[in-house]
């Protein structure tokens, strides 16, 4: 079983990966996970210039960690002023994604939504214009599978390699280098950038064909969005019947349903403050994409569908740029009405 080929483009080198889990997928591809703390099986140190497209809530700390690790990093963002701090810390800047990709050996992209991710990669002055044989493009954005496959095909036509690698984690994990990478695509590129992923994250999964990484991320964020909606209901119900919602947070955090998200977000939610780590508009976007994914395979997800409607209400209240925990405000409005 260890000799099974994961990707038609290249065999997996088990010297660079310790197989921690093996899961049967309908495509019969094995799934590998790697903890970044497993020093004995870390990837070979990356050599070359690294590009990073998208210096926002997530992209900025991710690129910063690469700079701190001593890598030669070139960056781009639609709003150049967001790059100023990283430039002051040693990053180079190029005015277009094309020029970043042209000047770098591997280019990462962390873009807000599928349409923007496709435009940055394949649009005017897009990254593919600067790609070619020997280069790699790693899309760490959260997009649907169709968009990821479209970008992959465009990248491969240039002779470059493609890896989708959406991340599980928000602003603080990005700052702390504790993200989880859900990768799929060119396994040789996966191995090539493994040391970079280990700097930005605490673990990485290789999931086989392009589209699997995107699907896994959408399922994870679907669960997260539904959990937050239910948690919001619980906080408000507890308060309504005379219980202290702070005590509820403590009780939940010590029980079988404990999740870091509850203890991290709960106290601020009780105070009606929502410092943005993961924008509400992005959570709603991911729920919408998850609903489309479910529809494509005729899988009912009624709980996620109901949660999506709640996030849409929150967006209509002007909460798009607040943290996704601000969804509780949509429930408060419903109670008042």
């Amino acid at each position: 079983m260890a000799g099974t080929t994961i990707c038609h483009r290249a065999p997996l080198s088990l010297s660079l990966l310790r197989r921690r889990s093996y899961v049967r997928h309908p495509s019969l591809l094995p799934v590998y996970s790697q903890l970044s703390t497993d020093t004995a099986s870390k990837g070979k140190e990356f050599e070359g210039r690294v590009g990073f497209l998208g210096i926002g809530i997530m992209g900025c700390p991710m690129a910063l960690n690469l700079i701190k690790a001593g890598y030669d990093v070139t960056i781009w963002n639609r709003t150049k002023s967001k790059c100023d701090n990283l430039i002051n810390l040693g990053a180079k800047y190029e005015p277009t994604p094309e020029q970043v990709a042209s000047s770098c050996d591997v280019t990462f992209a962390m873009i807000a939504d599928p349409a923007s991710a496709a435009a940055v990669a394949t649009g005017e002055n897009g990254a593919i214009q600067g790609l070619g044989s020997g280069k790699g493009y790693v899309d760490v954005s959260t997009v649907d599978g169709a968009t990821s496959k479209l970008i992959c095909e465009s990248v491969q036509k240039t002779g470059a390699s493609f890896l989708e690698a959406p991340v599980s984690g928000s602003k603080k994990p990005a700052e702390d280098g504790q993200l989880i990478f859900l990768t799929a695509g060119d396994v040789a590129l996966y191995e090539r950038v493994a040391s970079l992923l280990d700097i930005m994250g605490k673990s990485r999964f290789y999931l086989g064909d392009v589209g699997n990484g995107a699907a896994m991320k959408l399922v994870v964020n679907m669960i997260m969005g539904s959990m937050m909606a239910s948690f919001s209901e619980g906080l408000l119900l507890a308060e309504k019947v005379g219980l202290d919602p702070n005590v509820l947070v403590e009780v939940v955090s010590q029980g079988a349903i404990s999740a870091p998200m509850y203890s991290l977000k709960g106290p601020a939610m009780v105070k009606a403050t929502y410092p943005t780590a993961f924008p509400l508009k992005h959570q709603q976007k991911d729920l919408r994409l998850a609903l489309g994914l479910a529809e494509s395979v005729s899988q009912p997800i009624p709980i996620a569908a109901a949660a999506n409607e709640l996030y849409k209400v929150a967006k209509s209240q002007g909460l798009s740029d607040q943290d996704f925990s601000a969804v509780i405000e949509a429930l408060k409005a419903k109670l008042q009405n």
Side-chain angles (χ1 to χ4, degrees):
M1 201 64 79
T4 302
T5 298
I6 291 183
C7 178
H8 295 301
R9 289 181 291 276
L12 179 67
S13 171
L14 291 182
S15 65
L16 296 178
L17 271 179
R18 180 161 66 89
R19 185 167 64 184
R20 296 185 58 83
S21 63
Y22 180 88
V23 180
R24 280 291 179 183
H25 183 272
S27 64
L28 301 183
L29 292 172
V31 175
Y32 295 91
S33 69
Q34 171 68 50
L35 296 179
S36 296
T37 52
D38 294 338
T39 54
S41 51
K42 279 182 175 288
K44 179 182 178 182
E45 190 72 18
F46 179 83
E47 297 180 358
R49 296 183 65 181
V50 181
F52 211 105
L53 309 175
I55 307 301
I57 290 176
M58 297 294 290
C60 184
M62 293 171 72
L64 177 58
N65 283 333
L66 294 176
I67 294 168
K68 287 180 177 178
Y71 286 100
D72 185 350
V73 180
T74 301
I75 60 177
W76 169 86
N77 194 70
R78 280 198 178 95
T79 305
K80 183 179 183 296
S81 60
K82 292 186 177 181
C83 298
D84 290 345
N85 183 51
L86 296 185
I87 293 171
N88 292 335
L89 293 172
K92 298 179 178 67
Y93 174 81
E94 292 289 354
T96 67
E98 174 185 358
Q99 288 166 283
V100 173
S102 177
S103 64
C104 295
D105 299 286
V106 168
T107 300
F108 288 82
M110 172 58 89
I111 312 299
D113 57 71
S116 298
V120 167
T122 67
E124 184 177 0
N125 299 316
I128 64 167
Q129 308 300 324
L131 294 175
S133 180
K135 292 181 179 289
Y137 191 79
V138 184
D139 197 339
V140 294
S141 315
T142 298
V143 301
D144 57 286
T147 299
S148 192
K149 290 173 184 177
L150 173 67
I151 296 173
C152 174
E153 291 171 2
S154 298
V155 168
Q156 289 179 333
K157 286 178 181 177
T158 72
S161 302
F162 177 79
L163 187 74
E164 66 172 355
V167 300
S168 181
S170 56
K171 182 180 178 182
K172 189 63 163 60
E175 292 172 342
D176 296 341
Q178 293 292 297
L179 295 169
I180 301 168
F181 286 92
L182 308 172
T183 75
D186 193 299
V187 71
L189 180 57
Y190 170 76
E191 294 176 348
R192 184 181 177 191
V193 301
S195 62
L196 302 178
L197 301 181
D198 290 343
I199 289 167
M200 297 183 285
K202 65 179 179 180
S203 60
R204 46 185 162 86
F205 292 76
Y206 180 77
L207 303 171
D209 292 338
V210 170
N212 289 346
M216 181 69 81
K217 176 60 189 295
L218 292 180
V219 171
V220 169
N221 278 18
M222 177 198 75
I223 295 170
M224 181 175 72
S226 300
M227 286 172 63
M228 180 56 75
S230 182
F231 184 52
S232 297
E233 290 180 334
L235 289 174
L236 293 177
L237 178 59
E239 186 173 20
K240 194 81 170 180
V241 299
L243 299 174
D244 184 343
N246 286 296
V247 176
L248 173 65
V249 173
E250 189 173 348
V251 170
V252 167
S253 298
Q254 293 185 27
I257 62 170
S258 174
M261 180 178 75
Y262 296 146
S263 56
L264 179 65
K265 304 285 188 182
M269 292 171 70
V270 173
K271 297 176 182 177
T273 57
Y274 315 104
T276 305
F278 181 49
L280 186 144
K281 63 185 177 184
H282 292 167
Q283 176 62 79
Q284 193 275 318
K285 177 260 298 182
D286 292 347
L287 280 167
R288 172 175 57 81
L289 294 176
L291 287 167
L293 177 65
E295 178 67 22
S296 72
V297 292
S298 300
Q299 173 62 46
I301 49 172
I303 294 172
N308 182 53
E309 293 303 314
L310 194 61
Y311 284 94
K312 286 163 64 176
V313 171
K315 283 177 63 179
S316 73
Q317 296 173 345
L319 299 170
S320 290
D321 293 321
Q322 295 288 306
D323 189 74
F324 79 112
S325 55
V327 71
I328 193 173
E329 293 294 333
L331 287 167
K332 290 179 182 178
K334 284 179 174 290
L335 288 173
Q336 291 168 0
N337 292 334

